[in-house]
Structures are given as structure tokens and as C-alpha cells.
Amino acid sequence: MQLLNAKTLLLAAVTLDAVTAHTSFTNFYVDGAPQGDGTCVRMSNDIPKATNPIRPITSQDMACGVNGDKGVARICPANSGSQLTFNFRDWPDGSQPGSLDKSHMGPCSVYMKKVDNSAADNNAAGPGWFKIFEDDYDNSTAQWCTSKIMANDGKLSVNVPTDLAGGYYLVRPELLALHEADKSPPDPQFYVGCAQIFLQSTGSAVPKDTVSIPGYVSMQDPAMTFHIWDAPKQLYFPQFSPATYRSGSSKRDIETRTDQLKQTFGLKPADCIMENDNWCGLTLPSYSDENGYRPQDLLSSPAPQHLIPYTIHHNPEPVYATTFHPSFALQDPASALYVASLRALPIRLLSPFSPSIIASYPLISITTEEYIAPHSVLFSPYDPKTFFAGSLNLIATFDINRNGEEPVARMPTIPSKRSKVVGGVGGIKGIISALGMSPEGVLAAGTFSRWIGLYDGQGRGGSVGAFQLGEEAGTTMEADGTGVTQVLWSNDGRYLCVAERCSDEIGIWDIRGTGKKLASLRGRNAVTNQRMSVDVMSSEVWAGGVDGMVRVWGKLGMNEGTIDPTWEFKAHGGMIPIVILS
């Protein structure tokens, strides 16, 4: 046994964990009341790097973190003497538990800065900061401040001094991790962020001892190279920056002004029905309301109208697949949801009423422990809280109510040897690139390797059929595609429509009848690697082409063989990759 190699591997794993497990201030509480995920909090919008420490310590980001010079819409009200709680997370979206790696030991501080408007831009970096709280090493408990935060589920709580003048403030929690401070060169790691508050107070105090951030600390300060691994520990941690302000200490009084008594910026709208991350969702007028949104106006207008997006979600990685809630309606915020699969990240639940993530669901490889990015996702029309995710040789089932949790079920699409022996149906191999549910609860799955699998029990039963495209008698090279991009059922659940990349044809299979291919709908002009969707209405199949044409094939299931479009029309000057009928 090579003990030396095993030890080396263990040390490498510990070192990697210590390097990657960082933290970010994400949630804010006032007097114990949560203000909402990300509400009133300035934080980084660079998701993959959101938990990284601030480097260098002379950076403007030392004030309120990366993107901390940009104000957010909401300002949270607080009272004189209120308890403010700052929640730090290892995963900003809360998709995984944890706040900070146990190796990240060091002191904590909280600073405040009085400003004219907490929601304004470019008011963080610079002078005017004063300290209201500090905690370092506690000899009685042998704990650093960061260790206490870890034991308290990532929360740090402080009280606002009772004599501070009312008005708008930025409040800045600061964690300093010193586990790398003894290295060469030293690497003290600061984790900071800012909350925006309006302090409702009749006080008049403004602290005298203020500092500029950045500038309040330098690498020459002994604290920046403090050796936390010394045994026995040094008795006192060398403080840096100003003394902590306490009510009645060094201050100057200012005359109380009207604008310090009443908040006018960053208020929550009175008609806000759904709030998340400084964003409010409002009730839309009914479609029957004469003053509301009326979809028919788009069709009755004599000229094409310019449409403005209801909301825009900026994603840090490419989106592989999306699926909308079966009851999606803007009039009902509870159902206005969709799921998106992103490369190398957990699956996301999103809403047009919020620019941020509602929930997330990790799909992790059992062998590599890396995130799996599904190439297909589908909400179950039978159980709206359930969605399916297709990836390599796997269909996973998720419950949207289980935020941060892995799938409730995993169904491998390659059958085990035992299932084959006892009469099980052969499986399908490859990336599950398309999913579709029939009205009778049969889940169809297509792969980039041109296989189709059928599963009963509303997608939770066993395999009831599998076949490979291109094996039908009479198939021509022109009909071959390079991978399934869509599987779509007819309204009666008898026929399965299959669309592929780089193929001008749509295959029609009679699943409930003969179980064989019935027809090929040719001429859609879709020879491209891009996904070109189709849709079914009644007995018609509609599809867009790369030439801007929309083509329609009628009498679905009534004709066999190769079928040309029944009619077509020019819809656009460019490609039409998506066709949706309602």
C-alpha cells in the first residue's frame, strides 16, 4: 500500500476545498424579518466568481464588492437600535447548504456610511465609512468570529447605534479570512457586500472617526500577515482601521432635517404582489378588461407591431433547453414559471416577474461529481410540480418544490442486463435531446444518436418501446437527419412526430396502431444544425424554414408515404426556428 501517495492525494483534496469554498453576502434581515432573497443587497452579477474574495485590497471593490458601485432598486427601512442580520452563503442562490469553509478563520467587522440616496450609483468607494461592530478571536471559546458565523448558519447580527442621525445609509459587513495570510506573498481574503437602508431615527449623531474605503488598510498592517496557525496563538489580534463607534462616543451633531425623517427612495410599490431580488411583480389587467392587454390587437393591427420583452434573463452560461409551466399565464404569477438548463450549472426555475433565480436543482454526475447540463427538459402536464430532464443515458425527475435538491428519481435509458434477461424492452443510448408527453401519459424521448424510447406511467413507469430512426424500409439518404431535436404527439396521442437536425423531413409514427412509420412530411427546408421546432394543431403540422417560410401539412394520420405541404406562406425575411400555435 502506497501510504505516501494516499496522503498526498488527501492533502491535495483539502487544499482544493480550501481554495474553492468561498462566500458571499446575499440575504438581509431587519429585526429578524427576512427582506427577501437579495433584496436591498448590492452583490456581484458575475455568478461563477460571486463568492471570490476581493483582490487587491486597494481595489474600489473593497467598498461594497464587485458591482458594488451600482445601487439596487430597493432600500430597506430600519429603526434606531434595530438589529441587522447579514447572511453569507457559499452558494449565492442557496442551491447547496453552507456559508464558509471551516479553514477560512478570521475577524469580522460592520461599517456604515451616510449617503444622500442608498440606491444611487457611485456612492460606495471613498470617505465617510465608520465602524459599528468588530469581533476577532475569542480566547474564552477558542473561536474566531467567522467560526461563530458558520455555527450560526452563515448569519452575523449587529445593532445600529441608537443616536445616529436618520437618513440613508450603506451598511457593509466584512469578513477577513486569514488562512493564507502567512503565505508568500500573503493573501488576506476580504469578503464584503453592502445593504441599503433608510434609518428612521430622531438622533443627530454623525461619527467623527471615519475612513476611506479603499485606503483604510494596507499590506503593511500586521493584521494582513497574522499567522492564525501559530500554536500557542498570539494573545491579541492586531486591529486595523478606526475604533468602533458606540452611541455617545466621539461624534458631531447635525440638525435633523425633514428628509432624514421620511423615506422617499427605494420604497416597495404598493401594488407589488411578488417580490424577489429588488424586483416587484404587478398584477396584469384581465384580458377581458378594456384597458388591459388584448392579444387580438396584434392581429388586427394594419402593420406589424414592435414587441418589447416583458423581462430579460441574462444567464452566465449557454442555455441548453427550456420548458414552460403547463398553466403558464401572466395573469397568474404562481404559474408564470419556466425551467432552464444551463451549461455547468444547476437547473434554474425562473419567472418573468423576477430577474433573478426562483429556485435551482443540481443534477450531478455520480462518477465525476460535476454538474450535468440536460439537453432537454419537460414539465409534466399531469403533475405541474414535476419536470423531467434528459441527459446522457438518463432521464431525471425533479420536484420544483424541492429547491436545492437533486432529482427525486433517476431512470437510466440503457436497461440493465437483468431486465433484458427477464423480458424487459431494449433501451436507448445517447444524449436525451427531446422529450414529449402524450395525452395518455406516454413519455417519448429522442436522442442525438437517432433513437426513440417510449415510457409509460406518465414518465415514471418502465420502457414500453424503442426504435432507431433510419431503419425503416424505403428510407433515403435525403431523409436522414443528424439527431432528434423534437418529439411531438398528435392531439389524440396516436401519432408521434419526430423532427431532426439537418433534415428537410418530419417523420410520423403510428404508435398506437401499427407501431411503424406512417409518413414523411417533406420540404420544410430545415437543413441546419440549429433546432427548428414544429407544432401540431388539430390535424395539421406547422413548421418554419431557413427561408422564412411557414409550411403546413394537413390531414395528419390520414395519408401514408411521402407528403408535400398542403400550403405555405412567407412569414419573415430570415430563418424561422420556432413555431408555436395557440
Side-chain angles (χ1 to χ4, degrees), residues 472-496:
E472 308 84 17
T475 298
T476 63
M477 289 300 294
E478 290 78 8
D480 285 348
T482 59
V484 177
T485 55
Q486 189 177 8
V487 285
L488 190 66
W489 292 89
S490 62
N491 294 340
D492 61 4
R494 175 168 180 171
Y495 304 105
L496 181 67

Short mmCIF file of all heavy atoms in Angstrom, two decimals, residues 472-496:
data_model
loop_
_atom_site.label_atom_id
_atom_site.label_comp_id
_atom_site.label_asym_id
_atom_site.label_seq_id
_atom_site.Cartn_x
_atom_site.Cartn_y
_atom_site.Cartn_z
N GLU A 472 -36.23 2.14 -41.30
CA GLU A 472 -37.49 1.81 -41.95
C GLU A 472 -37.24 1.49 -43.43
O GLU A 472 -36.35 2.04 -44.07
CB GLU A 472 -38.48 2.99 -41.86
CG GLU A 472 -38.68 3.52 -40.46
CD GLU A 472 -37.60 4.51 -40.07
OE1 GLU A 472 -36.90 5.03 -40.96
OE2 GLU A 472 -37.43 4.77 -38.86
N ALA A 473 -38.05 0.62 -43.95
CA ALA A 473 -37.93 0.26 -45.37
C ALA A 473 -38.22 1.48 -46.23
O ALA A 473 -39.16 2.24 -45.98
CB ALA A 473 -38.92 -0.85 -45.71
N GLY A 474 -37.39 1.68 -47.23
CA GLY A 474 -37.61 2.79 -48.15
C GLY A 474 -37.00 4.10 -47.72
O GLY A 474 -37.15 5.11 -48.40
N THR A 475 -36.31 4.11 -46.58
CA THR A 475 -35.70 5.36 -46.11
C THR A 475 -34.56 5.74 -47.06
O THR A 475 -33.74 4.92 -47.43
CB THR A 475 -35.15 5.19 -44.68
OG1 THR A 475 -36.24 4.89 -43.81
CG2 THR A 475 -34.46 6.45 -44.22
N THR A 476 -34.52 7.02 -47.43
CA THR A 476 -33.48 7.52 -48.33
C THR A 476 -32.44 8.31 -47.55
O THR A 476 -32.68 8.74 -46.42
CB THR A 476 -34.09 8.45 -49.39
OG1 THR A 476 -34.66 9.59 -48.75
CG2 THR A 476 -35.18 7.72 -50.17
N MET A 477 -31.28 8.48 -48.17
CA MET A 477 -30.24 9.28 -47.53
C MET A 477 -30.70 10.71 -47.30
O MET A 477 -30.33 11.35 -46.34
CB MET A 477 -28.97 9.27 -48.41
CG MET A 477 -28.25 7.93 -48.43
SD MET A 477 -27.69 7.40 -46.80
CE MET A 477 -26.48 8.68 -46.46
N GLU A 478 -31.56 11.22 -48.23
CA GLU A 478 -32.04 12.60 -48.08
C GLU A 478 -32.90 12.76 -46.83
O GLU A 478 -33.03 13.84 -46.27
CB GLU A 478 -32.86 13.00 -49.32
CG GLU A 478 -32.04 13.19 -50.59
CD GLU A 478 -31.67 11.86 -51.24
OE1 GLU A 478 -32.17 10.81 -50.78
OE2 GLU A 478 -30.84 11.88 -52.17
N ALA A 479 -33.53 11.66 -46.38
CA ALA A 479 -34.40 11.74 -45.21
C ALA A 479 -33.62 11.65 -43.91
O ALA A 479 -34.15 11.95 -42.85
CB ALA A 479 -35.45 10.63 -45.26
N ASP A 480 -32.37 11.20 -43.97
CA ASP A 480 -31.59 11.05 -42.75
C ASP A 480 -31.28 12.40 -42.12
O ASP A 480 -30.93 13.36 -42.80
CB ASP A 480 -30.27 10.33 -43.05
CG ASP A 480 -30.49 8.84 -43.28
OD1 ASP A 480 -31.60 8.38 -42.97
OD2 ASP A 480 -29.55 8.19 -43.75
N GLY A 481 -31.41 12.46 -40.80
CA GLY A 481 -31.01 13.64 -40.05
C GLY A 481 -29.79 13.32 -39.21
O GLY A 481 -29.21 12.23 -39.29
N THR A 482 -29.40 14.28 -38.37
CA THR A 482 -28.20 14.08 -37.54
C THR A 482 -28.52 14.11 -36.05
O THR A 482 -27.64 14.38 -35.24
CB THR A 482 -27.14 15.16 -37.87
OG1 THR A 482 -27.70 16.46 -37.61
CG2 THR A 482 -26.69 15.06 -39.30
N GLY A 483 -29.75 13.84 -35.69
CA GLY A 483 -30.10 13.79 -34.27
C GLY A 483 -31.46 14.39 -34.01
O GLY A 483 -31.84 15.41 -34.60
N VAL A 484 -32.22 13.77 -33.11
CA VAL A 484 -33.58 14.22 -32.81
C VAL A 484 -33.55 15.53 -32.03
O VAL A 484 -32.81 15.67 -31.05
CB VAL A 484 -34.32 13.14 -31.99
CG1 VAL A 484 -35.73 13.62 -31.61
CG2 VAL A 484 -34.38 11.84 -32.76
N THR A 485 -34.34 16.49 -32.47
CA THR A 485 -34.45 17.78 -31.78
C THR A 485 -35.83 18.02 -31.19
O THR A 485 -35.99 18.90 -30.35
CB THR A 485 -34.11 18.94 -32.73
OG1 THR A 485 -34.96 18.85 -33.88
CG2 THR A 485 -32.66 18.90 -33.16
N GLN A 486 -36.84 17.23 -31.62
CA GLN A 486 -38.18 17.41 -31.07
C GLN A 486 -39.01 16.15 -31.28
O GLN A 486 -38.95 15.51 -32.34
CB GLN A 486 -38.89 18.60 -31.72
CG GLN A 486 -40.20 18.99 -31.05
CD GLN A 486 -40.83 20.22 -31.69
OE1 GLN A 486 -40.37 20.70 -32.73
NE2 GLN A 486 -41.88 20.73 -31.08
N VAL A 487 -39.76 15.78 -30.24
CA VAL A 487 -40.77 14.71 -30.35
C VAL A 487 -42.10 15.32 -29.91
O VAL A 487 -42.20 15.92 -28.85
CB VAL A 487 -40.41 13.48 -29.49
CG1 VAL A 487 -39.29 12.69 -30.14
CG2 VAL A 487 -40.02 13.87 -28.08
N LEU A 488 -43.11 15.16 -30.75
CA LEU A 488 -44.38 15.86 -30.53
C LEU A 488 -45.54 14.92 -30.86
O LEU A 488 -45.55 14.28 -31.91
CB LEU A 488 -44.43 17.10 -31.43
CG LEU A 488 -45.54 18.10 -31.22
CD1 LEU A 488 -45.41 18.78 -29.86
CD2 LEU A 488 -45.48 19.17 -32.31
N TRP A 489 -46.52 14.82 -29.96
CA TRP A 489 -47.64 13.91 -30.15
C TRP A 489 -48.81 14.61 -30.82
O TRP A 489 -49.03 15.81 -30.63
CB TRP A 489 -48.11 13.37 -28.80
CG TRP A 489 -47.13 12.46 -28.14
CD1 TRP A 489 -46.13 12.80 -27.29
CD2 TRP A 489 -47.06 11.03 -28.27
NE1 TRP A 489 -45.43 11.71 -26.87
CE2 TRP A 489 -45.99 10.59 -27.46
CE3 TRP A 489 -47.79 10.08 -28.98
CZ2 TRP A 489 -45.63 9.25 -27.34
CZ3 TRP A 489 -47.44 8.74 -28.86
CH2 TRP A 489 -46.38 8.34 -28.06
N SER A 490 -49.59 13.84 -31.57
CA SER A 490 -50.84 14.35 -32.11
C SER A 490 -51.83 14.54 -30.96
O SER A 490 -51.65 14.00 -29.87
CB SER A 490 -51.42 13.39 -33.15
OG SER A 490 -51.72 12.12 -32.56
N ASN A 491 -52.89 15.30 -31.20
CA ASN A 491 -53.84 15.62 -30.14
C ASN A 491 -54.51 14.38 -29.55
O ASN A 491 -54.91 14.36 -28.39
CB ASN A 491 -54.91 16.59 -30.66
CG ASN A 491 -54.31 17.94 -31.02
OD1 ASN A 491 -53.22 18.28 -30.54
ND2 ASN A 491 -54.99 18.71 -31.84
N ASP A 492 -54.65 13.33 -30.36
CA ASP A 492 -55.30 12.11 -29.86
C ASP A 492 -54.30 11.10 -29.29
O ASP A 492 -54.69 10.03 -28.82
CB ASP A 492 -56.13 11.45 -30.95
CG ASP A 492 -55.29 11.03 -32.17
OD1 ASP A 492 -54.05 11.20 -32.13
OD2 ASP A 492 -55.88 10.55 -33.16
N GLY A 493 -53.01 11.44 -29.32
CA GLY A 493 -52.00 10.57 -28.74
C GLY A 493 -51.65 9.34 -29.56
O GLY A 493 -50.92 8.47 -29.08
N ARG A 494 -52.12 9.26 -30.81
CA ARG A 494 -51.83 8.08 -31.62
C ARG A 494 -50.54 8.25 -32.40
O ARG A 494 -49.76 7.29 -32.53
CB ARG A 494 -52.99 7.81 -32.59
CG ARG A 494 -52.70 6.68 -33.56
CD ARG A 494 -53.91 6.22 -34.33
NE ARG A 494 -53.58 5.13 -35.25
CZ ARG A 494 -54.46 4.42 -35.92
NH1 ARG A 494 -55.77 4.68 -35.79
NH2 ARG A 494 -54.09 3.42 -36.72
N TYR A 495 -50.31 9.44 -32.94
CA TYR A 495 -49.17 9.65 -33.84
C TYR A 495 -48.06 10.44 -33.15
O TYR A 495 -48.32 11.39 -32.41
CB TYR A 495 -49.62 10.37 -35.11
CG TYR A 495 -50.73 9.65 -35.83
CD1 TYR A 495 -52.05 10.13 -35.77
CD2 TYR A 495 -50.48 8.48 -36.54
CE1 TYR A 495 -53.07 9.46 -36.41
CE2 TYR A 495 -51.51 7.80 -37.18
CZ TYR A 495 -52.81 8.29 -37.11
OH TYR A 495 -53.82 7.62 -37.74
N LEU A 496 -46.83 10.06 -33.42
CA LEU A 496 -45.65 10.74 -32.89
C LEU A 496 -44.91 11.41 -34.04
O LEU A 496 -44.52 10.76 -35.01
CB LEU A 496 -44.72 9.74 -32.19
CG LEU A 496 -43.46 10.34 -31.56
CD1 LEU A 496 -43.82 11.26 -30.39
CD2 LEU A 496 -42.51 9.23 -31.09
#
